[in-house]
Amino acid sequence: MEKKCQSLTGMKDRLPPETALWQEMESQARKIFHNYGFAEIRVPLLEDVSLFARGIGEGTQVVQKEMYDFVDKGGDHIALRPEGTAGVVRAFVENSLGKQEGIAKLYYMGPMFRYERPQKGRLREFHQIGVELMGVDSPHADAEVVIMLDRLVRSLAIVDHEIEINNLGTLTERQGYLKTLLSFFSQHKNELCADCQNRLEKNPLRIFDCKIPTCRSLCRKAPAITGHLGGETEAEFSVFKENLKKANVSFTVNPYMVRGLDYYEKTSFEFTHASLGAQNAFAGGGRYNHLIEELGGEATPAVGFAVGCERLIALMQARASADKKRHGVYLIGLNEQAFSQCRYLLQDLRDANVPAEMDFAVKSLKSSLRRADKLHCRSVIIIGEEELKKGSAVVKDLADGQQQEVALESLVTCFGKRSKP
Ligand code: HAM
């Protein structure tokens, strides 16, 4: 036998029934985003490598270690997108989207690629649902996207998620903070790993991304951004927090949360869930007021976030089983004649928009009921010799166990009514 083909490390097939959760997540996101005035943008998976280096930051883990980059047949150095923001900003600038209405509210969904060490919740091909609100520098815009994300999470019946927020200061305010950080970490240089000693020279903020225990414990003692923010930034941060409170969004302020990408300033936030383990952040984002200018556009402030879909799906899978509603009908024909009758009925039900399933050959009642349960069907229609004689079927509700006899000609109408959610 030939060797079996296998998917690549860190890349996964998405199979039924999990794909139903993906559809639910995506359709819920589209519905909510549209209500908030966002429209979909679709951009290429491949971009010039310099877009990500310039956009995300040369000193970040993503650019230094995790890019899927290569030289194509024409000699261009290109990369698979590791995140969505840089590509959307490129499209915004290239298509002059800011000129049309001043404000652009965009969302996207799709695969991202990072060459990371795979582990629970961390993949090399993963998916994001992202949002970018471009053209306003306002804490109301920051609050709008955080509230929208919170509502999306709640609409998927996910409970107990936590939201951490921070304010990273304006670029000028951050310069002051970086000096304080530099002096703190320089005093402890010997305790830092080789990578962090390097980061100290380039961008001390990135030391907060290090996973090595000694660096992490040093980070916990490092000075926080609090105290480096100017009056205006503090006031904006208060408006942001006030807006969240009014919308019943609970949060905690974490002054050490710096996020792993270089483009953020002022508001930043992360959504976490304790049940996810080590990779507990299932969404993150923040304000990026200089990225559009840095990528060749006119100075345009912006804010956005991205949800890690695989992590959100894991949370959906953990929802209470009571939440898994039974739906549709399973048909069981106990002999050849009843089986044919059921196949005709199956088509009639499907034509009437009733989700209906059955086997392709006569099977025992026991194994058929087992399959109906596995498919999470709400009801079964059973036709045997007796029922054929009477021109009826036994209809059993698998949710409450109730059973009744229904005339064959009334079945489609009866289920047409029932199948309404
Ligand atoms: P990010 O924090 O790098 O932000 O990624 C957002 C989310 O993607 C994370 O919270 C996580 O759930 C998920 N994620 C990241 N890497 C992986 C991975 N290797 N495997 C599975 N899930 C992963 C961004 O990407 C920004 N572009 C978000 C943004 C949009 N900021 C402003 N606008």
Side-chain angles (χ1 to χ4, degrees):
M1 243 214 296
E2 297 289 332
K3 193 172 168 269
K4 267 194 212 153
C5 298
Q6 282 190 324
S7 60
L8 297 173
T9 307
M11 309 210 174
K12 274 183 149 186
D13 299 314
R14 302 285 155 216
L15 309 172
E18 192 192 298
T19 38
L21 296 180
W22 284 76
Q23 288 167 1
E24 181 188 347
M25 170 182 70
E26 289 163 4
S27 69
Q28 206 52 33
R30 285 180 200 283
K31 199 168 90 189
I32 293 178
F33 295 170
H34 288 160
N35 284 350
Y36 281 73
F38 286 79
E40 186 177 8
I41 183 166
R42 299 186 187 199
V43 295
L45 265 59
L46 285 160
E47 299 274 2
D48 195 284
V49 75
S50 65
L51 172 72
F52 302 118
R54 283 165 68 191
I56 300 168
E58 295 275 7
T60 56
Q61 295 260 106
V62 173
V63 169
Q64 278 194 345
K65 300 188 177 159
E66 298 167 1
M67 290 257 272
Y68 271 92
D69 63 316
F70 57 97
V71 176
D72 72 6
K73 290 188 172 69
D76 291 325
H77 190 181
I78 58 177
L80 278 165
R81 63 182 187 189
E83 57 102 57
T85 310
V88 171
V89 167
R90 192 232 0 98
F92 174 86
V93 175
E94 196 171 326
N95 299 289
S96 311
L97 297 183
K99 293 223 169 67
Q100 291 162 11
E101 290 182 35
I103 294 178
K105 289 172 123 183
L106 304 166
Y107 77 87
Y108 50 91
M109 302 180 176
M112 309 289 159
F113 302 84
R114 296 185 191 177
Y115 195 83
E116 297 200 73
R117 199 151 43 82
Q119 53 168 260
K120 185 174 171 260
R122 198 160 77 190
L123 292 149
R124 290 185 175 166
E125 186 200 38
F126 62 100
H127 296 73
Q128 286 188 344
I129 295 180
V131 156
E132 314 294 350
L133 197 170
M134 296 146 143
V136 255
D137 183 12
S138 157
H140 293 287
D142 302 357
E144 181 165 305
V145 296
V146 174
I147 295 167
M148 182 170 78
L149 176 54
D150 177 72
R151 295 304 190 253
L152 169 62
V153 175
R154 289 190 203 194
S155 78
L156 296 170
I158 291 163
V159 288
D160 296 337
H161 64 284
E162 283 167 24
I163 303 174
E164 287 192 352
I165 61 167
N166 192 17
N167 193 304
L168 300 167
T170 59
L171 289 189
T172 329
E173 286 157 357
R174 214 164 57 225
Q175 286 312 319
Y177 176 52
L178 285 178
K179 274 193 201 132
T180 315
L181 268 190
L182 186 66
S183 108
F184 170 82
F185 284 123
S186 302
Q187 283 161 31
H188 298 273
K189 195 170 174 181
N190 298 339
E191 296 162 52
L192 291 171
C193 71
D195 269 355
C196 283
Q197 294 194 3
N198 212 348
R199 289 175 181 137
L200 187 57
E201 317 278 306
K202 290 187 179 143
N203 182 357
L205 216 54
R206 294 277 67 92
I207 296 175
F208 285 108
D209 302 336
C210 188
K211 307 277 182 300
I212 293 173
T214 45
C215 297
R216 287 189 80 94
S217 72
L218 196 57
C219 284
R220 281 194 283 274
K221 294 180 213 146
I225 181 89
T226 333
H228 291 267
L229 305 180
E232 203 178 322
T233 310
E234 288 279 15
E236 282 178 2
F237 198 35
S238 299
V239 173
F240 172 60
K241 289 187 283 192
E242 209 41 50
N243 271 289
L244 296 189
K245 279 185 204 155
K246 288 222 174 79
N248 272 322
V249 175
S250 337
F251 59 86
T252 48
V253 178
N254 175 0
Y256 290 103
M257 203 246 312
V258 296
R259 312 262 309 120
L261 313 166
D262 270 354
Y263 47 64
Y264 294 113
E265 58 187 281
K266 300 210 273 189
T267 308
S268 67
F269 52 88
E270 241 165 37
F271 280 51
T272 61
H273 201 288
S275 70
L276 290 172
Q279 305 300 320
N280 65 351
F282 65 91
R287 180 155 282 288
Y288 55 95
N289 282 355
H290 288 84
L291 181 61
I292 299 176
E293 199 177 351
E294 269 159 31
L295 294 178
E298 276 174 31
T300 312
V303 63
F305 67 75
V307 176
C309 295
E310 282 75 5
R311 295 183 195 175
L312 194 63
I313 291 288
L315 295 175
M316 289 170 76
Q317 280 168 330
R319 294 181 305 200
S321 57
D323 188 57
K324 288 184 197 150
K325 276 201 206 131
R326 290 182 171 275
H327 82 294
V329 53
Y330 193 86
L331 293 99
I332 307 170
L334 295 175
N335 58 33
E336 284 302 334
Q337 203 189 337
F339 172 83
S340 304
Q341 182 69 53
C342 283
R343 294 288 322 171
Y344 300 138
L345 264 171
L346 175 73
Q347 192 53 49
D348 291 345
L349 286 163
R350 286 174 173 168
D351 286 343
N353 283 327
V354 178
E357 257 300 344
M358 78 173 279
D359 216 307
F360 294 97
V362 178
K363 294 278 162 67
S364 75
L365 181 62
K366 198 172 158 198
S367 80
S368 303
L369 287 173
R370 210 181 302 129
R371 180 133 189 269
D373 186 51
K374 208 170 154 208
L375 293 175
H376 240 78
C377 292
R378 168 81 196 265
S379 326
V380 283
I381 294 176
I382 308 165
I383 304 181
E385 216 176 303
E386 278 296 299
E387 287 74 29
L388 275 180
K389 273 190 215 151
K390 286 194 263 176
S392 66
V394 171
V395 175
K396 186 171 177 177
D397 189 313
L398 294 181
D400 59 19
Q402 300 261 16
Q403 202 164 299
Q404 56 171 316
E405 210 166 313
V406 179
L408 289 180
E409 64 268 19
S410 317
L411 272 172
V412 176
T413 344
C414 159
F415 277 94
K417 271 188 224 135
R418 272 184 193 214
S419 72
K420 301 234 160 42

